[in-house]
Amino acid sequence: MIKFVNVSHSYNNGNESIEESISNINLDIEDGDFIAIIGSNGSGKSTFAKHVNGLLLPSEGDVIIDNCNTKDKEHIWNIRKKVGMVFQNPDNQLVATTVEDDIAFGLENIGLNEKEMQERVKWALKQVDMLCFRSYEPHLLSGGQKQKIVIAGALAMRSSHLILDEPTSMLDPKGRKEVLEIVKKLNKEKNITIVYITHFMSEAVMFDKIVVFEKGKIVLTGSPKDIFLQKNVLDDLKLEIPQITRFARLLNENGLDIPINIIDEKEMLDKLCLLI
């Protein structure tokens, strides 16, 4: 379980003044949750993410990961094994000359023997459908494939939670689809907790729950249908509703009996078929 208790964090901008990045965050994320985090630029999403595995520590409050406080130095290594981080640019997280060596890098650092390392590397690559690329050089892979290798590296460490900070923002549509399919599979089949930060509303609709940040605070939480029903609030936050939801609203405003919070194409097709 990931638990934020009255967490605030401030950055010193170097001019003797303090800029607060997140303020009084209270949030419980249960094991196996599938959560998207959205918000405008500078809303505190990335600062929140870096608190989950202790890359940043609270100025006030506490972050608890499976009963371990990130402020307790004796727990920080165990926390970082539990919580895998995936950032925007996979090239910044790839360190070795082959895929399997890259995944083994973290395992070597925790002193695993050769046999267990090989078993974990093979298992992790299978989970992301990349086993056939084990001997490839990472720079030869596509952006989506690189992100899957980064995810495999976290899985090899037996991470039970994955925090992904806009992992598809530098990828083409094919790469975005690949990464989303993998994280959904890991959540549904392996019960790995997923916290997925994105600025693509078309991605956010895939998740069970959405948390909306603005000016360092949580301003909305709920299911995608609940969140995207609140168009006026999202407009004020400079967040767009998904294209399919905009289309549903347009049809509704023009007299068709279509719900205004439709979030996927299949649901839209089903509703239109009922009108024929």
Side-chain angles (χ1 to χ4, degrees), residues 48 63 83 90 132 202 237 261 266-267:
F48 167 83
V63 179
V83 181
C132 60
S202 59
L237 299 175
N261 63 342
K266 183 181 183 303
E267 183 183 9

Side-chain angles (χ1 to χ4, degrees), residues 73-125:
K73 292 183 179 179
E74 65 269 25
H75 292 151
I76 198 64
W77 182 241
N78 188 41
I79 286 171
R80 288 178 179 169
K81 285 195 290 184
K82 291 174 178 287
V83 181
M85 296 288 294
V86 179
F87 296 105
Q88 291 183 18
N89 188 347
D91 289 323
N92 293 338
Q93 292 184 262
L94 297 171
V95 297
T97 55
T98 68
V99 165
E100 59 185 350
D101 286 347
D102 195 273
I103 295 171
F105 179 79
L107 304 177
E108 291 175 344
N109 287 338
I110 61 174
L112 290 187
N113 61 58
E114 184 69 23
K115 181 180 179 183
E116 185 170 359
M117 275 198 297
Q118 290 179 355
E119 289 175 351
R120 286 206 195 185
V121 168
K122 183 177 180 180
W123 175 84
L125 285 171

Side-chain angles (χ1 to χ4, degrees), residues 47-79:
T47 299
F48 167 83
K50 291 173 183 176
H51 275 77
V52 182
N53 77 338
L55 288 176
L56 291 175
L57 298 178
S59 304
E60 298 178 13
D62 296 284
V63 179
I64 312 296
I65 311 297
D66 295 344
N67 298 316
C68 295
N69 194 313
T70 59
K71 290 179 178 178
D72 296 336
K73 292 183 179 179
E74 65 269 25
H75 292 151
I76 198 64
W77 182 241
N78 188 41
I79 286 171

Side-chain angles (χ1 to χ4, degrees), residues 51 83-84 108 118 132 138 147 174 187 196 198 242 252 259 262 274:
H51 275 77
V83 181
E108 291 175 344
Q118 290 179 355
C132 60
Q147 281 293 36
K174 181 176 182 294
N187 175 257
Y196 190 99
T198 183
N252 182 276
I262 288 178
L274 291 174

Side-chain angles (χ1 to χ4, degrees), residues 13 28-29 32 35 46 72-74 91 96-97 100 108 117 124 172 198 216 223 241 244 256 273:
N13 68 9
D28 289 351
I29 299 174
I35 293 178
S46 292
D72 296 336
K73 292 183 179 179
E74 65 269 25
D91 289 323
T97 55
E100 59 185 350
E108 291 175 344
M117 275 198 297
D172 60 20
T198 183
S223 69
I241 62 175
I244 194 70
L256 289 181
C273 287

Side-chain angles (χ1 to χ4, degrees), residues 2-21:
I2 299 169
K3 189 176 185 69
F4 278 63
V5 184
N6 301 322
V7 173
S8 297
H9 182 86
S10 301
Y11 292 105
N12 191 323
N13 68 9
N15 296 317
E16 299 185 354
S17 62
I18 300 297
E19 178 186 350
E20 191 166 54
S21 181

